Amino acid sequence: MAVSEAPREQAGPGEPWRPLAGRTVVLGVSGGIAAYKAAELVRLLTGEGARVRCVMTAAAREFIGPLTLQTLSGAPVATELFDLTQESEIGHIKLADDADLVLVAPATADLIARMAAGMADDLLTTVMLATRAPVLLAPAMNVNMWSHPLVEANVERLVGTRRVLMVGPGAGFLACGWVGPGRMAEPVAIVEAARRALTRQDLAGRKVLVTAGPTAEAIDPVRFIGNRSSGKMGFALAAAAAARGAEVTLIAGPVGLTAPLGVTRVDVEDARAMQREVMAREGGADVLVMAAAVADYRAQGQAAHKLTKEELGAELRLELTANPDILAGVGLARAERARTRPLLVGFAAETPSAGSAGDARDAELVARARGKLTRKRCDLVVANDVSTQGVGFGGDESRLLVVGKDAVEVLAPGTKAALAHGVWDQIVKVLP
Ligand code: C5P
């Protein structure tokens, strides 16, 4: 079958960490009680920098007024296919062509059925059929409707076209009084799915293991030896990998951060626990990114009770034992078994010598990173100058150099979310 070219240049891939910015999202609203959440969706989408154009079915207008969505989106709401004024001012083909994404939330059983049948009997279904953009459906309906074989068959048919994506539904209390699957995905989850629909899925099918945060090495049940790692870089790396389609497990030391959507989180306290969790999973991973700042030492012996001031005395001497080097351990295991998986990415947080600046400073960072690359047998080391105020540990911004055996890539300074994608761009280049 001949595929005709789009009459308009589709927006190219935007910044991967802000995939909705500058994009046009046609938000279709069909007639279910979850339609009231469309208002929140418009706010979230515009907050991401998207241009939102709302299309409402007749049934949707029984649940929420077009004025609400028009006010929030700052653009006229399209409702009619055969209204002369609307058609000349908005135009159903223009809507379909302008869309970078058609998001339908809520998508009712009726709308799903009409789409699955290839029908175009109102404005929304016409736009859904006429667009070349991905169509993302957020179904919402009664639990018995959702599990009806006809609805299941329709959903399967739509997903099978590969042009239609689904988010949710989740399980929970339904407005109809039933409890079970059928509840529309929460607006934040829908926005995340929208972001993913517009992000290049270059890590699809890959299993990724990321470590993040500090480790806390207990002295007694209350006190510990720790470090200043905030975990933000590791969490950003996990989020970016998930957004690019990877199956991500995040092994996190003690940090107060929320796991990115769709990421499996494993919490650990100390280096040995982190090592156990990494070793249990590294064999099945395609990539291991060790962004955690693993404590170099742990207290020898650990008091079972909180040490009293008297026990601590005026001077406390702690005997310290070196922690296992997790990354070097995986590097060695991989070399011994002549494996190529997982690809190993280490981090090197450095404070270059005082007085060194510019290129000399970078050269020093690279040299230290290369030392780690060889010692720990990894494929890439991400060097990070943590001596600059507000950059590196704890901050939201950072400056990174991705160091390979032969090449060095200096990433443009930016937020950790942006840099995380920059790091993955480099990893994707060397992934077998
Ligand atoms: O040697 P250094 O601690 O600077 O190396 C940093 C890299 O090694 C990071 O990727 C860190 O996660 C990893 N590392 C480790 N186990 C340790 C110490 C560091 O895996 N005990």
Side-chain angles (χ1 to χ4, degrees):
M1 186 167 85
V3 177
S4 51
E5 278 311 302
R8 177 189 75 90
E9 185 106 346
Q10 212 81 15
E15 298 156 327
W17 58 97
R18 293 182 70 224
L20 287 163
R23 299 300 191 86
T24 300
V25 177
V26 170
L27 174 63
V29 185
S30 63
I33 181 59
Y36 81 92
K37 291 188 181 170
E40 175 69 2
L41 265 173
V42 176
R43 290 199 69 101
L44 292 172
L45 291 166
T46 51
E48 295 266 327
R51 248 187 322 269
V52 182
R53 299 287 174 267
C54 297
V55 176
M56 299 179 80
T57 64
R61 280 174 278 141
E62 300 289 334
F63 290 93
I64 177 175
L67 185 60
T68 306
L69 300 188
Q70 182 156 303
T71 310
L72 292 172
S73 67
V77 170
T79 52
E80 307 295 337
L81 185 56
F82 298 117
D83 181 294
L84 290 178
T85 320
Q86 276 198 18
E87 188 53 23
S88 67
E89 283 172 4
I90 307 175
H92 68 279
I93 295 299
K94 181 155 168 44
L95 267 174
D97 285 348
D98 281 354
D100 293 301
L101 176 72
V102 176
L103 164 63
V104 185
T108 58
D110 173 72
L111 185 101
I112 288 172
R114 286 189 288 136
M115 174 79 187
M119 285 169 69
D121 58 350
D122 66 2
L123 180 63
L124 181 53
T125 45
T126 306
V127 169
M128 287 164 76
L129 210 54
T131 190
R132 293 173 59 96
V135 174
L136 174 63
L137 303 181
M141 65 195 75
N142 162 272
V143 52
N144 295 328
M145 289 168 92
W146 177 248
S147 57
H148 195 290
L150 284 174
V151 174
E152 285 179 348
N154 286 338
V155 167
E156 217 167 280
R157 180 142 197 242
L158 287 175
V159 173
T161 63
R162 305 180 68 87
R163 288 187 173 201
V164 178
L165 305 162
M166 296 276 166
V167 50
F173 284 100
L174 302 174
C176 53
W178 285 74
V179 179
R183 198 183 148 86
M184 188 170 83
E186 288 307 319
V188 281
I190 295 175
V191 171
E192 186 54 34
R195 290 167 60 101
R196 286 181 191 179
L198 293 176
T199 304
R200 200 170 354 112
Q201 298 295 289
D202 52 4
L203 289 170
R206 303 283 194 170
K207 288 204 169 93
V208 163
L209 202 54
V210 179
T211 65
T215 63
E217 311 296 327
I219 296 169
D220 67 19
V222 178
R223 303 178 180 90
F224 63 87
I225 303 169
N227 62 63
R228 291 189 193 279
S229 166
S230 67
K232 286 180 183 171
M233 192 65 223
F235 275 62
L237 284 158
R244 293 164 83 138
E247 190 186 310
V248 184
T249 303
L250 174 62
I251 302 176
V255 289
L257 298 174
T258 310
L261 271 169
V263 164
T264 306
R265 176 179 186 160
V266 179
D267 283 312
V268 295
E269 282 291 317
D270 60 21
R272 285 180 297 172
M274 184 171 277
Q275 184 190 34
R276 270 196 305 278
E277 300 298 344
V278 169
M279 295 319 272
R281 291 173 179 81
E282 59 90 13
D286 294 297
V287 186
L288 166 63
V289 181
M290 283 288 308
V294 185
D296 297 298
Y297 292 93
R298 65 174 179 275
Q300 221 176 67
Q302 192 189 108
H305 63 280
K306 183 186 169 193
L307 296 169
T308 62
K309 286 275 180 293
E310 291 70 37
E311 283 170 310
L312 290 167
E315 211 173 83
L316 174 67
R317 284 182 190 281
L318 284 175
E319 296 277 349
L320 300 179
T321 308
N323 268 329
D325 191 311
I326 304 169
L327 184 57
V330 179
L332 180 64
R334 192 180 67 158
E336 281 176 349
R337 285 175 224 134
R339 286 194 271 139
T340 51
R341 284 172 83 233
L343 189 100
L344 295 182
V345 184
F347 267 71
E350 302 287 343
T351 51
S353 9
S356 80
D359 288 350
R361 202 174 175 85
D362 281 358
E364 194 181 334
L365 278 174
V366 170
R368 293 205 205 174
R370 285 247 161 84
K372 266 172 215 175
L373 191 89
T374 317
R375 266 199 315 281
K376 304 188 188 217
R377 298 180 171 86
C378 35
D379 303 287
L380 295 173
V381 168
V382 182
N384 187 3
D385 182 348
V386 291
S387 50
T388 321
Q389 271 285 317
V391 170
F393 274 14
D396 288 318
E397 300 222 346
S398 203
R399 181 165 178 274
L400 302 181
L401 285 80
V402 183
V403 181
K405 200 157 70 61
D406 307 307
V408 176
E409 193 72 35
V410 182
L411 303 185
T415 61
K416 288 186 174 172
L419 286 162
H421 278 282
V423 170
W424 282 111
D425 287 343
Q426 300 307 314
I427 296 175
V428 165
K429 277 192 201 162
V430 295
L431 254 182

